[in-house]
Every structure is written in structure tokens, then in C-alpha cells.
Amino acid sequence: MNIIKHTTFPSGTYQALFYIGQYYLPVEETDIHAQLDTAVKNGRFASVQAIELSEKSETEPGLYELGVCIAPYFISDYLKEPETVIFEYPEEVYPVQIELLTQKEYNDRLREQVSKHCEGCRGFGILNKNDSSLAGHFDEITLDGFCPYRWETRNSPRSFVNELESFGFFWGRYGYASKNADSLMDDIKYHLKLAYTSGTILDDENGRTLFLYSDKNTLIQTVLTDILADCVSKYWEEGYRIRLNSRIQINEEAVMGLLLPKKIAATRKELSKYGVMIGILEYDPTGNTSIQRFMDHLAEECFVRILHKESGRMICLFTGRTTLMRLRCASPVLEAYNVYVTVYDALNTVQYRICYDMPKTIQDAVQVDAAKANRLSKKILKAQEDKVLNYEQVSGLFSYVGSRLNEAGCDHTLKYTEIFLKDFLSPELYESALNEIHSMGGFCDCEVLMNCYEDYELE
């Protein structure tokens, strides 16, 4: 571990501080944590000489095209000058290790990760030798291979936040505030997929109100309409209000109803339609206040809505994958209170790493529960007993490999099979699974689909 003594820092790992969404690099040689502990005990502010670390840094003309990094990895070429940082809530300061790299070192490491995880990614295509080919990846994938935006299909996942930004742009440009109710409902449906049965507009001394009604309203539609209404009145048109008169009551029973086994398939379909996710945070109850403050801060950045909260548990609506990135970058808070985050979205097999050097994951919540296992045939259940990969894992493997072969064809290797196994199996199971596939006649991706796990009766 390097000790901070000067305001110019070589590449390496340093002890830093995380405070309300921001990383700081101390430049004092004093015991910072003792100073913070004293401030907490005395109920006082704490001040520290530190450098504010920026995830997005401007580069000089003629250097690398983008000077962007993702915490906890930072570019040493563009460090700011030290300043006095005031911590109003010293109890909310968390220790964290960060890594400083030069822009070139960062680019080289990033290229390795992109080549490993995103080869031929639908988002940006295959890398070339130019630094500019990394441009789309700088603010999406970390140096430990985490990318919440990764997509493999021909169409990128829908994002409610992106659509909301598009709607806001057109609101001002095309005079949405002056449109009648029917035209405005058509525009909302086009951009946001929010459909209503009818609407009326009322003008009074306080401004204009669009009243919306829906015969088939859902809790998710109610929450997203609230988000739309807040954005209209706060960002685009002061004095313009949107009211949903057929609201669903947002309470514990309604929220938990979305996640019932018999309802989850329909919930996933609706989440996919709008481009949102439901996240469940479970954590040490001693962190209730800190986690609440953290989520409130996150809500300001990412349009997160807290649907239900209780001691040690919080259920939220995530309106975009930016939320996953912010969770990942704020891992010091999550680690401090042993936070586990489960995400329900439209995908069944994707796992999201949320932390730096911390063995916790944001992962898809659907697993093989007892009820689902009982619905499998006795033949399949018997077949699973002596296999390394169970029915669900093979189903995910076939789905992934099949989709990739449809796009790129088979190159007579196990390229996509190995990618899937490395991503979703522990290292100790990887070799065993690969040997099992070989024993069934799977020596390339197309042979895996044709020859392997026939007892599972997968198409």
C-alpha cells in the first residue's frame, strides 16, 4: 500500500475515502480515521486535505480521445489540486482502496477487458487498434470486467430513463404543453409505452393539469407516471401537472404481489416493456439511516423510486442500468452494511458484479425453487443427479450459445460455451463442466447443442 506524501502520485493502490457518492484521496499524513472517529464522538464536522477524484476527466487536445474512468480506478494524469474537504456527516465516510493509473495504463487494461468480455458486442462492435475504438466502453465497463449495459441481441434493452430524456427533449421542441389530451397521450405512449384509456386537460389559476385514466393500470405504471409527472413539473414545464386518477395504492401487499412465483413472469414482461428493474436491498439493520441516505442520493441521480422499506430491507424501482453502475461505484457503503442486492429484470441469466475486491453480486433473482423443480419430469430430475450442470444451467447455456451461433455461426471451437461457463460457474466447477461436455461429444459450440444433455429434453 502506498503512503500519500506528495501531491503527485505514481501508479499504484492507495487508501481513499468515499463520502456521499464521491471519492477523495487524502494528502495528509495524519491518522484520518482517528480524526473522523473523534469528530463522530464529539458531534462535529471533520475537515481533511484531499483531492476530489473525478470519474470523468477532460483530456488535453492531442492526447487520448476520452479521459474517462470508472471508480475505483482513476486517472493520475488529470488529478485536481488538494483542497479542504468538509465532511458534515463524518459517520458517513467509508474507507476504500482505489487504484491510480496513467491514461495509457488505463486504456491498455480497458482494452484487455473489452476484448475478453465484449468481443463483437452489439453496442460497439469489434475493437480496432485505435484508441477511439474504446470510446463507447470508457464509461460503461470497469477494469474488473463489470458492464451493466452489455447486450448480445440485435436490439438493445429498452431504458425508461433514455426514453424519458427523449420525451423531455420533444416536450420543449414541439410544444407538448399546448397539445390536447389525446395528442399528448399518443406521444407518451410512443416514447414511454405508458398507455391510458382517456385523458382530460384542466386550466386554472395554478396552471394546467393533465388528468389521466386507465382501465388496466398497474403498480409499475402508477410509479412511472409519477416519475413522468415529477419530471414535467420540475424540469420541463413549471406549473404543468400530470395526475393519474386511477392510481394503484403503493403498499407492501401490492409490492410483494409483484414478486409472487405465480406473478413473476408477468412482472418480468412488464419490466421489459418499460425498460425498468425491481431491486431488493437486504442489509444489516444498523445501517438503516445510512442506506436510506445513500438511496435518497441515488434517487436524485437515477430516478430510483423506493416502493417499500422496513428494517434491513428496501424494495426499489430502478429506471435504468445507470443505477447498477452507481451501486457498483458506491460499493464501500454496500460493503459496510453487508448489502445484498437482488435485481428482477427481463433477463434470466445475467449476473452483475457490484463491487471492487468484494465477493457480493447483483444477480438475477429467479432460481430453481422447489415448486419449479417439482414441475420437471422425473426423468429430468433423475438425469440431474449425476450431472455437473443442472437443468436450469443447461437451459441458460443453450439459450446463450444458440443466440450467438444464429448471429455469428460456429467456428468449430467451444468459444461461446466457454464464455458462458466462465461467467456463470465457479472456477472449481468450470473444468468439471467442460469435461462433462466433452464426454457427451461436445467439442464445438454446435455440437454442444446437438449432442449434449439429451436427457434434459431441451429444444
Side-chain angles (χ1 to χ4, degrees), residues 129-150:
K129 295 182 179 180
N130 300 321
D131 291 308
S132 60
S133 68
L134 289 171
H137 299 281
F138 272 108
D139 53 359
E140 290 196 355
I141 186 169
T142 70
L143 296 193
D144 54 7
F146 167 77
C147 180
Y149 306 100
R150 181 177 177 179

Side-chain angles (χ1 to χ4, degrees), residues 17 29 48 81 86 88 92 98 105 121 123 128 168 186 209 219 253 264 299 308 367 382 406 410 428 447 458:
L17 304 172
E29 297 184 38
V48 174
E81 289 298 316
I86 305 296
E88 185 175 356
E92 300 297 330
I98 61 99
E105 290 171 335
C121 166
N128 58 43
D186 287 342
T209 303
L219 184 144
E253 181 180 1
I264 191 60
H308 172 70
Q367 301 183 8
K382 182 67 175 176
N406 284 338
C410 183
E428 60 269 18
E447 287 180 343
L458 287 164

Side-chain angles (χ1 to χ4, degrees), residues 160-181:
F160 185 82
V161 167
N162 291 346
E163 300 297 338
L164 190 64
E165 291 175 351
S166 175
F167 181 80
F169 171 79
F170 286 107
W171 178 281
R173 184 165 185 172
Y174 294 114
Y176 279 8
S178 62
K179 285 193 172 186
N180 61 41

Side-chain angles (χ1 to χ4, degrees), residues 223-258:
V223 176
L224 295 180
T225 303
D226 289 346
I227 292 174
L228 169 63
D230 289 348
C231 288
V232 169
S233 61
K234 184 176 180 180
Y235 301 113
W236 308 326
E237 196 75 32
E238 185 176 356
Y240 196 110
R241 298 173 298 278
I242 295 178
R243 299 287 184 266
L244 180 60
N245 281 19
S246 48
R247 294 177 58 82
I248 300 295
Q249 188 67 28
I250 304 174
N251 53 35
E252 181 180 6
E253 181 180 1
V255 173
M256 297 308 299
L258 295 172

